[in-house]
Amino acid sequence: MSCRISELVLDCRDPEALARFWCEVLDFVVLDRDEDGVEIGARDGFGGSQPTIILSRSDDPPQPKSKLHIDVSPTDGDQDAELERLLALGARPTDIGQTGEESWHVLADPEGNAFCLLRTPVKPV
């Protein structure tokens, strides 16, 4: 017996705006929405090929640094091309103490949540 990650929950001030950003980044779609937030995921939905992300409305102040972050990998291009695409979508470089020698880029989404763009491409789902 084992478990599988089925959902990731991210507290945010503007679930709709963050859903638009992450849907573009991950090629996800909106699966559900209510007054508390938005659920996004792969087209095969909850329990499918990838975990869904629930963007949950919260008025709590953002935490300075989360102990958990998302890593993404390019699926149909190289890291440099994907970096340019992510920056055009609204991501921005952020410093969490990296040395500059890393093979990944540390970025922040529009609400300041850090995530990493890895070098190694993966096959699309």
Side-chain angles (χ1 to χ4, degrees):
M1 190 177 286
S2 67
C3 290
R4 186 176 116 182
I5 296 172
S6 57
E7 298 175 336
L8 301 171
V9 179
L10 183 60
D11 289 342
C12 58
R13 293 179 302 279
D14 188 346
E16 291 290 339
L18 216 52
R20 284 189 297 276
F21 173 79
W22 283 107
C23 280
E24 287 293 324
V25 169
L26 300 170
D27 191 28
F28 275 14
V29 296
V30 172
L31 300 171
D32 192 19
R33 63 171 39 96
D34 61 29
E35 65 277 354
D36 294 324
V38 180
E39 182 177 14
I40 64 173
R43 284 165 177 76
D44 57 358
F46 178 82
S49 59
Q50 299 185 66
T52 63
I53 299 175
I54 296 177
L55 302 159
S56 180
R57 185 177 316 281
S58 174
D59 294 326
D60 293 340
Q63 297 299 312
K65 183 180 178 202
S66 174
K67 293 183 182 225
L68 178 70
H69 69 269
I70 295 172
D71 286 349
V72 298
S73 297
T75 60
D76 56 1
D78 66 14
Q79 185 186 45
D80 292 336
E82 189 61 11
L83 176 61
E84 291 305 314
R85 186 180 82 86
L86 296 176
L87 293 172
L89 290 173
R92 64 185 188 283
T94 192
D95 184 358
I96 59 167
Q98 61 269 35
T99 66
E101 299 298 317
E102 294 82 6
S103 62
W104 59 87
H105 295 277
V106 181
L107 303 169
D109 72 14
E111 288 207 9
N113 300 298
F115 69 99
C116 296
L117 171 62
L118 305 181
R119 178 184 310 165
T120 306
V122 296
K123 294 180 182 181
V125 177

